[in-house]
Amino acid sequence: DSVLGHRIEIALCDPPGEELVHLLLTEEWVYDVESENSRLRLRVNQPSQCLPRILECCINNRASVESVITKSPSLEDVFLKATGRELG
């Protein structure tokens, strides 16, 4: 799990600002951040430990959170990491 990271998906009321995305990328526990419309997708290690800090970053940047979903690496993630190519 630590090589692939867990995924955290956050739905916001409005699109996140570049400042929030940049702030999250500077955190040591964040491997990757994708921003699409009003959603943030993060790859992190130990989501239960870093989730409070992620939410704090959102609040401090006036980003209203609608929902949060945490996901473990999928079989497709594991396959991609092991082979370097996608299924299909």
Side-chain angles (χ1 to χ4, degrees):
D1 284 353
S2 62
V3 173
L4 296 169
H6 285 74
R7 291 175 289 163
I8 296 177
E9 296 182 9
I10 301 173
L12 302 171
C13 292
D14 297 302
E18 288 182 33
E19 192 173 307
L20 174 58
V21 173
H22 177 71
L23 177 63
L24 291 169
L25 280 170
T26 62
E27 297 291 342
E28 65 183 88
W29 33 261
V30 175
Y31 296 103
D32 187 37
V33 176
E34 294 177 11
S35 174
E36 182 180 322
N37 299 320
S38 297
R39 294 200 178 276
L40 287 172
R41 291 182 187 88
L42 297 87
R43 250 191 221 285
V44 301
N45 195 11
Q46 300 175 334
S48 61
Q49 293 180 5
C50 66
L51 188 55
R53 176 71 180 124
I54 291 169
L55 295 176
E56 181 182 333
C57 287
C58 290
I59 291 167
N60 289 343
N61 282 272
R62 303 191 190 289
S64 298
V65 176
E66 286 186 347
S67 66
V68 176
I69 300 170
T70 62
K71 297 180 179 181
S72 297
S74 68
L75 289 176
E76 185 174 352
D77 293 332
V78 173
F79 181 83
L80 181 61
K81 181 68 178 173
T83 65
R85 59 186 177 93
E86 293 187 28
L87 292 171

